[in-house]
Amino acid sequence: MKTLVLVAHPHLADSSSQQFLKESLPATGIDWEWLDGQQVIDVDQEQTRLRQADRVILQFPLYWFAAPASLKQWEDTVLTRKFVYGDHRYPLAGKELGVVVTTGMPGKAFQRGGAEGITLDAALAPLAAVAQRAKMIWLPTLAIHQFGYLDESEKLQLVIRYQRYLTQAQPDSLTSRQAWFAERLPEMIDRLPADQQAKGKLIASVFEQKSADLDQLADTLALIKEQSDD
Amino acid sequence: MTENAAWLNEQIDQLAQQQEKFTDRAFWLALKQLIAEQDRRADQLGGEVDGRTWSPDQW
């Protein structure tokens, strides 16, 4: 899978959350682009990058319940009517569109009665409408609230949540999660120093056995359900 | 948590601690969480298999 990550942030170097996400990018399969870093938007090149991607991620801090201006400028320039649907060819159809949004307020603020009084889904509705118009598949949003308050353990979890959001098959089920880890384990074991590889392999084999056991249990259950009358 | 699960967690924690890269450490710790999720799901599915199999109607 090829994922295009478009980052909109006027002061990227000063943003600890954006720097953290950049450091957390998966090693392969990612085309990363900082929208504010371009003097001129090359429309053909941007459209080519979109065509080549299976999943497109829009990543930005929430400014006044919307993305920073650079994303809107990119949309208005690159997503021409003709490109998106004008000639009835829909080159983006079937691709996934996801949003990684950082907010300074906690998650509970984004609901009716909360401090912000609006849900993130409501704030991001214009982007979801673009996805629908382009016949893209809208992914559930990955929201990162109050990054500065995360402790070490939460940051460790965020690394993998973010990597999975960029590259894991949807929907985010246990089966998809197992497949994502199984695909990466051989390379992760290879990267271990020689004296740690045996332990890595042992852990991997237990994980694989548990995956197989779960499959078998699910099969057994399906069989029982099929045979019962209810 | 069973003895086996505790032992496995310890192995993963040790391996994670030895990783210099933050993202590598994150990977192994996330795998530990996923394995815990597998164990929970296996318990639940196993319980459902038992429950559905234990059916006096079909004796």
Side-chain angles (χ1 to χ4, degrees):
Chain A
M1 169 186 299
K2 187 153 188 183
T3 303
L4 173 62
V5 181
L6 301 171
V7 182
H9 196 299
H11 312 290
L12 195 68
D14 299 335
S15 164
S16 57
S17 57
Q18 293 299 330
Q19 291 304 319
F20 177 89
L21 294 177
K22 198 172 176 198
E23 293 293 320
S24 302
L25 284 172
T28 55
I30 305 295
D31 183 8
W32 186 92
E33 188 182 344
W34 178 36
L35 300 182
D36 305 67
Q38 308 176 0
Q39 299 287 333
V40 183
I41 298 174
D42 182 336
V43 175
D44 284 346
Q45 189 186 310
E46 294 299 307
Q47 291 181 350
T48 302
R49 287 172 109 158
L50 284 168
R51 280 180 215 271
Q52 287 170 347
D54 302 301
R55 181 176 291 176
V56 179
I57 301 294
L58 307 175
Q59 184 175 308
F60 52 83
L62 196 68
Y63 287 174
W64 286 120
F65 313 108
S70 58
L71 182 65
K72 185 67 165 70
Q73 191 189 3
W74 176 89
E75 284 179 73
D76 294 351
T77 311
V78 177
L79 302 180
T80 60
R81 188 184 65 85
K82 185 166 180 256
F83 173 65
V84 175
Y85 66 90
D87 55 6
H88 301 286
R89 276 193 304 187
Y90 295 96
L92 303 178
K95 297 179 189 294
E96 294 166 317
L97 184 66
V99 169
V100 176
V101 63
T102 59
T103 78
M105 294 290 277
K108 66 181 181 186
F110 294 94
Q111 55 184 323
R112 285 197 192 119
E116 301 289 18
I118 185 174
T119 63
L120 281 176
D121 275 349
L124 300 174
L127 291 173
V130 171
Q132 184 182 295
R133 201 69 180 82
K135 297 188 189 285
M136 297 177 85
I137 299 158
W138 179 257
L139 299 182
T141 297
L142 173 58
I144 302 166
H145 302 292
Q146 299 187 305
F147 175 81
Y149 291 164
L150 298 185
D151 63 23
E152 169 102 355
S153 140
E154 289 166 328
K155 282 183 180 164
L156 282 161
Q157 288 177 43
L158 178 58
V159 170
I160 301 302
R161 254 179 83 207
Y162 179 63
Q163 291 191 353
R164 290 197 296 104
Y165 190 73
L166 265 46
T167 56
Q168 182 191 287
Q170 289 281 331
D172 180 21
S173 60
L174 178 57
T175 306
S176 301
R177 284 192 284 281
Q178 286 180 156
W180 189 86
F181 277 88
E183 199 184 317
R184 276 151 191 81
L185 265 169
E187 197 208 317
M188 291 304 292
I189 291 170
D190 274 352
R191 287 160 50 106
L192 293 171
D195 62 328
Q196 296 171 13
Q197 292 213 349
K199 190 173 275 181
K201 282 178 187 161
L202 177 70
I203 294 164
S205 73
V206 174
F207 166 69
E208 279 154 21
Q209 185 59 51
K210 284 176 188 286
S211 302
D213 290 350
L214 268 180
D215 282 349
Q216 196 169 3
L217 265 174
D219 287 348
T220 305
L221 196 56
L223 203 66
I224 292 171
K225 282 181 179 172
E226 206 174 279
Q227 286 169 351
S228 67
D229 290 328
D230 55 293
Chain B
M1 194 188 293
T2 65
E3 238 173 73
N4 276 344
W7 175 83
L8 186 66
N9 277 350
E10 206 181 302
Q11 301 301 306
I12 300 179
D13 281 337
Q14 283 174 8
L15 191 66
Q17 265 175 16
Q18 288 170 314
Q19 304 315 306
E20 284 174 20
K21 263 189 85 176
F22 193 74
T23 49
D24 288 349
R25 202 147 80 237
F27 177 87
W28 292 104
L29 292 175
L31 181 65
K32 183 175 85 167
Q33 284 192 335
L34 182 63
I35 290 174
E37 192 184 348
Q38 286 181 317
D39 287 345
R40 276 196 306 277
R41 188 70 63 91
D43 273 354
Q44 290 157 351
L45 285 176
E48 190 177 351
V49 168
D50 284 351
R52 283 178 181 270
T53 316
W54 197 87
S55 168
D57 295 349
Q58 290 168 17
W59 287 354

